[in-house]
Amino acid sequence: VQLQASGGGLVQAGGSRTLSCAVSGTIFSLNSVGWYRQAPGKQRELVAYIGSSGYTNYADSVKGRFTISRDNAKNTVLLQMNSLKPEDTAVYYCNAGPLNRVAAASLGSWGQGTQVTVSS
């Protein structure tokens, strides 16, 4: 599976940003896709995931602010981030696979990720 996360950058607190994850090398429509983030000095954590059926799940810290969606025609998953906070600052990664492995972040190679920095 090849993954390309993009869309990161510098944004002010309260602002919005949309991240994009392009997936190739697999049957995209059959896979779940997750967004994860890792802040300096912290472990990688699950932010949100979307199943092949469109089922979504979010970390409590982002519920009501972030929205994950998928476009099976474009093999792409988006993460719309609103009301950003300084604590959202992290490198954001995406990954794809079976739902149970996506939910557990038990996946193979992770790619480079995209940096999101929220200034206060």
Side-chain angles (χ1 to χ4, degrees):
V1 180
Q2 288 79 50
L3 306 148
Q4 182 64 52
S6 61
L10 177 64
V11 62
Q12 289 189 331
S16 298
R17 199 83 181 181
T18 300
L19 304 183
S20 178
C21 175
V23 181
S24 60
T26 185
I27 303 176
F28 178 78
S29 61
L30 299 182
N31 280 272
S32 297
V33 179
W35 278 101
Y36 309 81
R37 66 187 181 187
Q38 187 167 19
K42 296 187 177 182
Q43 289 190 333
R44 183 180 291 133
E45 64 175 355
L46 175 68
V47 174
Y49 64 80
I50 184 165
S52 58
S53 64
Y55 170 81
T56 59
N57 191 61
Y58 298 90
D60 288 343
S61 59
V62 307
K63 279 181 183 176
R65 300 189 298 122
F66 291 12
T67 302
I68 189 171
S69 61
R70 65 187 297 155
D71 184 338
N72 287 344
K74 296 181 179 179
N75 288 11
T76 299
V77 169
L78 300 180
L79 184 69
Q80 173 67 43
M81 306 185 294
N82 298 324
S83 303
L84 283 162
K85 305 175 181 180
E87 50 263 45
D88 294 318
T89 295
V91 177
Y92 283 71
Y93 301 87
C94 60
N95 215 326
L99 181 60
N100 60 334
R101 294 184 65 188
V102 167
S106 177
L107 297 160
S109 61
W110 283 86
Q112 300 213 353
T114 186
Q115 174 73 47
V116 174
T117 302
V118 184
S119 63
S120 57

